[in-house]
């Protein structure tokens, strides 16, 4: 079994994630080498899946855990987490 390097960050959304924003996010992260997951409550979805993101129905004040898994290094996982957080900060707003 291969080792996966993980980096995580909890965020609180300042606005709803609309279908358009979800589509933009999906496009933005499609080239990341890492696996990207959103965890909310007892649910965990693949954030590269537009249907997965929409199924969470992310709304203002929801708290989600962004989890990045990378097979190469923890540095790559952290780099990709920073890219995801940047999108959230500029497009959705996080606390």
């Amino acid at each position: 079994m291969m080792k996966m390097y993980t980096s995580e960050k909890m965020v609180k959304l300042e606005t709803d994630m609309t279908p358009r924003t979800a589509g933009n996010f999906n496009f933005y992260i499609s080239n990341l080498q890492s696996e990207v997951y959103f965890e909310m409550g007892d649910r965990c979805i693949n954030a590269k899946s537009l249907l997965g993101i929409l199924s969470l129905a992310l709304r203002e004040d929801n708290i989600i855990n962004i989890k990045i898994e990378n097979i190469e290094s923890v540095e790559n996982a952290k780099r990709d987490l920073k890219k995801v957080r940047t999108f959230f900060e500029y497009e959705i707003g996080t606390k």
Side-chain angles (χ1 to χ4, degrees), residues 6-10 39 65-68 77 81 85:
T6 303
S7 188
E8 298 182 50
K9 177 69 177 174
M10 295 283 283
E39 298 174 336
N65 185 47
I66 302 169
K67 182 176 181 179
I68 310 292
L81 177 61
R85 288 182 60 205

Side-chain angles (χ1 to χ4, degrees), residues 13-60:
L13 304 182
E14 292 183 357
T15 61
D16 297 349
M17 182 178 244
T18 65
R20 175 176 291 225
T21 306
N24 290 343
F25 176 77
N26 188 262
F27 178 77
Y28 181 77
I29 68 163
S30 63
N31 291 325
L32 296 183
Q33 296 299 313
S34 300
E35 297 299 322
V36 182
Y37 300 97
F38 291 165
E39 298 174 336
M40 188 170 82
D42 61 347
R43 298 193 55 205
C44 179
I45 61 101
N46 178 350
K48 288 187 176 181
S49 163
L50 181 57
L51 289 176
I53 294 171
L54 294 174
S55 74
L56 285 181
L58 297 171
R59 302 285 180 240
E60 181 180 356

